[in-house]
Amino acid sequence: MSKTAEEFQRGGMEKIKQHTFALAHYTYTVLSDLKYANGAPVVRIYSDTDFSSPDVQGPIINFNVLDENGEILGFSQAGHICGDNIDVVDGRPTGSVRISFGYMSSFEDAQSFLNFIIATRLSKSDSEISFQPVTKLTTESVTDDNPSFNNAEILSPILQISDRELGSNPSVTKTTINCQPPETEAESIRAAVSETTVPTCRKGGEPITVANIYLYPIKSCSGFEVTEWPVGNQGLLYDRNWMVVNQNGVCITQKQEPRLCFINPSIDLKQNIMVIQAEGMDPISVSLEDSGKEAVICESKVCSHRVKTYDCGEKIAGWFSMFLGRPCRLIRQSSDMESKSLQKNTKGLSSATNISLSLVNEAQYLLINVASIMQLKEHISERLEEPLETEELIQRFRANIVVRAPESFEEEEWAEISIGALRFQV
């Protein structure tokens, strides 16, 4: 064992333990002291210790936020944005908030969290709390010698990185892009396969082409491939315009219901219908006509976006309920209300303002590069008993536009791209 390794073994982990526990102890102490004007506690902490020793208590705090009457504040009220809305069962909360401190956590992180709790739960007269750093927390507690802990800014701020797959493995990122289409009919604007894709920041090199175009009419259900498709003011026409919700009106995704991936919707533009198929079920169709003016409009929430939707009826609800084995309904985004992109551009590029979104999480289009997928595949193949096929890996990222570029991950440097007559801002 090298001298450096011996020193780290003797003191490194001990310093980290002391550092993280000091943060946890400080946060626990302040949280425990927070009270409403009537003397009621702001939080209920779940712990068998009083955070007096790092030998019996790790740097984790579990708690629920309470209101002035001592009732648990539901996670929907607290900003929870995905999943169901069942907060309490038989008087017990179905979940709690957890704070975990680590090597890179700082006193400022703890302060920011406590300030958030105070600002959202207490009035100014209740929240005059003086923050004093704990004596154990010093700049020598943990060193910054390891560069792997100092890479928070390596991602370009002009990119919006979507869901990462396959745990902690280095993963391909989906690039999200927005577009302001020309002021012409949506049906007249088409992005065709094999059109040359040109990043405006790219100089020279081999051409980049569009390999595939995928459409996902129902959020979290299977997509279908097209060779060309109309572009509307929210992205590909009818992309993520519908979603499945539970009996409480909350969006169901594959995280809660993996069988959604077996539902195959497709759009028939000539017949003006969406056909929905699944194994063991008779196909069913839904009109593409927006009947929101006649149906009851309700408000739903998709991640951080609030959208107005309308129900697609009892027949289609029965179809989905039978296939999934649980009460659910199909709803469609109303044309009366569209989500707006809140993305910010920090590199001085012309910002795409007032971007309309469908039921997507982040942006109008998701793009992925085959070369990046191939590098990911090479990296993980040796770890898998049954390596994934390239096509399967591509489908896991649910991108609308799949491009073939010479270099892997070069898409992370793109600022704008053009496909035919369309220009996109990354």
Side-chain angles (χ1 to χ4, degrees):
M1 183 180 296
S2 67
K3 182 179 180 181
T4 302
E6 290 178 349
E7 291 176 347
F8 179 79
Q9 190 177 49
R10 288 198 306 270
M13 291 305 297
E14 181 63 28
K15 288 183 178 180
I16 292 174
K17 182 177 77 171
Q18 294 295 334
H19 169 76
T20 55
F21 179 75
L23 292 173
H25 179 269
Y26 168 70
T27 305
Y28 168 82
T29 301
V30 175
L31 279 178
S32 301
D33 290 340
L34 292 181
K35 299 288 190 298
Y36 289 105
N38 62 0
V42 173
V43 300
R44 177 186 299 166
I45 299 176
Y46 305 106
S47 173
D48 293 331
T49 78
D50 58 358
F51 283 73
S52 58
S53 170
D55 295 327
V56 295
Q57 173 64 54
I60 295 175
I61 305 173
N62 254 78
F63 66 95
N64 278 115
V65 181
L66 308 176
D67 63 18
E68 294 89 336
N69 300 316
E71 300 294 330
I72 291 173
L73 189 68
F75 51 62
S76 294
Q77 297 168 277
H80 179 86
I81 52 181
C82 295
D84 61 40
N85 60 353
I86 303 174
D87 296 336
V88 179
V89 175
D90 295 332
R92 294 177 177 270
T94 57
S96 64
V97 182
R98 185 184 72 182
I99 307 173
S100 301
F101 292 104
Y103 177 95
M104 282 298 293
S105 300
S106 66
F107 175 64
E108 287 73 21
D109 294 333
Q111 277 188 318
S112 296
F113 165 73
L114 292 168
N115 277 322
F116 167 76
I117 293 293
I118 292 169
T120 56
R121 300 310 308 156
L122 300 176
S123 65
K124 290 184 179 180
S125 61
D126 296 330
S127 58
E128 295 178 356
I129 295 177
S130 176
F131 291 115
Q132 296 295 332
V134 288
T135 56
K136 291 183 182 179
L137 190 60
T138 68
T139 56
E140 298 177 352
S141 295
V142 182
T143 62
D144 295 329
D145 296 334
N146 191 335
S148 66
F149 290 100
N150 293 293
N151 60 356
E153 301 301 324
I154 62 172
L155 293 177
S156 170
I158 65 171
L159 291 178
Q160 297 294 320
I161 305 303
S162 244
D163 303 335
R164 291 179 177 270
E165 303 289 344
L166 302 168
S168 60
N169 290 320
S171 65
V172 182
T173 57
K174 283 187 297 189
T175 301
T176 64
I177 52 181
N178 287 313
C179 174
Q180 289 281 26
E183 294 180 359
T184 56
E185 292 297 322
E187 285 73 10
S188 68
I189 308 170
R190 296 183 178 273
V193 168
S194 297
E195 289 263 26
T196 299
T197 307
V198 184
T200 59
C201 63
R202 195 168 185 267
K203 298 179 181 179
E206 301 176 30
I208 302 171
T209 58
V210 176
N212 309 92
I213 300 175
Y214 291 101
L215 194 69
Y216 299 87
I218 304 177
K219 185 176 177 68
S220 276
C221 290
S222 178
F224 75 104
E225 185 176 0
V226 296
T227 56
E228 62 176 20
W229 198 255
V231 175
N233 65 351
Q234 295 179 321
L236 295 176
L237 198 62
Y238 303 119
D239 183 56
R240 279 123 168 156
N241 270 197
W242 291 263
M243 66 180 176
V244 182
V245 298
N246 63 15
Q247 56 190 347
N248 296 316
V250 178
C251 178
I252 301 175
T253 70
Q254 288 186 28
K255 294 176 182 177
Q256 299 90 30
E257 187 53 76
R259 282 173 56 81
L260 285 171
C261 69
F262 296 123
I263 297 176
N264 303 292
S266 60
I267 302 293
D268 189 325
L269 294 175
K270 292 183 178 179
Q271 297 190 51
N272 204 32
I273 59 173
M274 174 174 64
V275 180
I276 307 172
Q277 304 179 75
E279 186 175 353
M281 302 289 291
D282 293 330
I284 193 170
S285 63
V286 178
S287 174
L288 298 183
E289 294 291 336
D290 188 343
S291 59
K293 296 180 181 179
E294 303 173 4
V296 176
I297 303 295
C298 58
E299 188 175 88
S300 301
K301 187 158 60 174
V302 180
C303 286
S304 59
H305 305 296
R306 291 189 179 276
V307 293
K308 286 188 177 180
T309 60
Y310 65 87
D311 195 285
C312 293
E314 296 298 331
K315 183 178 179 180
I316 192 71
W319 191 96
F320 275 88
S321 298
M322 180 177 294
F323 180 75
L324 297 176
R326 58 189 293 186
C328 54
R329 308 189 71 82
L330 183 70
I331 62 176
R332 183 182 184 182
Q333 184 179 20
S334 170
S335 59
D336 296 338
M337 184 69 175
E338 299 171 347
S339 299
K340 302 295 182 181
S341 173
L342 300 178
Q343 296 176 8
K344 295 182 179 179
N345 191 323
T346 60
K347 283 204 169 180
L349 299 173
S350 57
S351 178
T353 58
N354 294 323
I355 294 298
S356 297
L357 299 181
S358 58
L359 299 177
V360 295
N361 293 354
E362 294 185 67
Q364 294 175 322
Y365 305 87
L366 298 178
L367 177 146
I368 202 164
N369 178 9
V370 175
S372 304
I373 287 286
M374 295 303 294
Q375 183 170 326
L376 171 65
K377 180 181 177 181
E378 180 180 352
H379 181 83
I380 65 175
S381 289
E382 60 187 28
R383 307 185 184 187
L384 302 177
E385 294 181 2
E386 298 181 6
L388 296 171
E389 297 296 328
T390 302
E391 185 64 28
E392 184 178 353
L393 271 175
I394 291 174
Q395 291 177 358
R396 288 191 175 213
F397 290 94
R398 300 174 66 79
N400 297 115
I401 303 171
V402 181
V403 300
R404 293 187 182 276
E407 301 294 332
S408 61
F409 299 104
E410 67 172 89
E411 64 275 13
E412 294 191 6
E413 303 300 324
W414 298 350
E416 294 181 355
I417 64 172
S418 61
I419 303 176
L422 297 178
R423 291 179 65 84
F424 303 85
Q425 181 174 322
V426 178

